[in-house]
Amino acid sequence: PDIVLVTRGSLLGNTSWGCSSMRFKSVAVFLAAILGSTLLPVSVEAHFGYPLEVCQVAKAAGRTWVEVDITTQSLYVFENGRPIRRIVKNISTANVRDLRFHKGLGKKIIPKEPRGCFKIEGKEKKAYSEAYGVTLRNAVWFGGPGVKERAYAIHCVLPGKEQHLGHPNSGGCIRTPYDFCEWFYAWAKIDVPVWIYGEWTGPYKRK
């Protein structure tokens, strides 16, 4: 199979990923050693949603928005420019190092990482994920241009996965503790910006 060289760069203060396919492992390993990059069996993709100005304007104007920090696995809710709820080091974002079977595609994939500026598009008390065959409780869907509808949600941690909060373990969604997801579901409103940024530098655990 092709080897993918993943390099890191900066996009308006956030991390962006560039991928290039290489057929010769020796060449890829050599370049990775020079560039300090990571070798993965398949490409890593990120969704970036709306222009970052959409989230930056909301923040600068003291409006309402949500921030997700991948680096610390934390989530912050702002209303009228003030933080009203936060989860520090206790959410779970996409595990981009773990191959998972995607039922909809009928093959294993590495989860995509939503990163950038998005908006809340809807919510469901119980939503069935056709991709992974699980039920998501208190799902608050968010997305943007180029992002498939109902692709990503902020939702309750899956039963039996509570121990994984605090490090990336999801298939792309953002998992949160039960007490928070109940409150967030009731609070969430359509079109509220969701700003996702940062980069996980800790170890990746298996699901």
Side-chain angles (χ1 to χ4, degrees):
D2 287 1
I3 297 296
V4 175
L5 179 66
V6 181
T7 59
R8 291 179 292 181
S10 178
L11 176 64
L12 295 178
N14 286 345
T15 301
S16 61
W17 295 89
C19 303
S20 59
S21 178
M22 297 187 177
R23 293 187 177 278
F24 301 100
K25 185 175 180 180
S26 59
V27 176
V29 171
F30 174 73
L31 290 176
I34 295 176
L35 299 175
S37 306
T38 304
L39 288 173
L40 297 176
V42 294
S43 63
V44 175
E45 298 182 48
H47 281 147
F48 296 103
Y50 294 93
L52 290 179
E53 287 79 1
V54 172
C55 287
Q56 292 169 335
V57 166
K59 187 172 183 177
R63 299 173 185 168
T64 297
W65 75 96
V66 178
E67 286 190 23
V68 177
D69 186 346
I70 296 172
T71 305
T72 62
Q73 294 293 286
S74 302
L75 186 152
Y76 306 90
V77 179
F78 294 82
E79 195 169 80
N80 299 321
R82 291 183 158 188
I84 61 170
R85 196 76 186 257
R86 68 184 67 190
I87 312 175
V88 180
K89 299 180 180 180
N90 202 34
I91 64 171
S92 187
T93 58
N95 186 344
V96 296
R97 298 293 185 274
D98 189 17
L99 278 169
R100 301 193 177 192
F101 185 77
H102 190 292
K103 291 188 174 182
L105 298 176
K107 63 180 181 180
K108 287 186 175 182
I109 64 166
I110 285 184
K112 293 181 180 180
E113 177 136 90
R115 194 179 302 178
C117 186
F118 305 88
K119 288 184 180 180
I120 293 176
E121 297 182 335
K123 52 186 183 179
E124 295 178 73
K125 286 297 289 182
K126 287 186 178 181
Y128 182 73
S129 170
E130 295 182 357
Y132 297 109
V134 295
T135 298
L136 311 178
R137 287 183 50 198
N138 294 320
V140 177
W141 301 104
F142 62 90
V147 180
K148 184 180 178 181
E149 185 178 0
R150 296 175 81 254
Y152 301 118
I154 298 172
H155 62 79
C156 295
V157 62
L158 301 177
K161 298 291 185 179
E162 296 86 352
Q163 72 274 22
H164 295 300
L165 290 172
H167 68 269
N169 186 255
S170 82
C173 290
I174 298 167
R175 301 175 183 172
T176 66
Y178 292 112
D179 59 340
F180 175 84
C181 70
E182 293 280 353
W183 174 87
F184 187 75
Y185 182 88
W187 174 87
K189 301 173 182 64
I190 303 298
D191 288 335
V192 168
V194 178
W195 195 348
I196 304 176
Y197 57 85
E199 177 187 353
W200 176 252
T201 58
Y204 282 86
K205 300 179 181 180
R206 302 294 297 177
K207 60 182 178 178

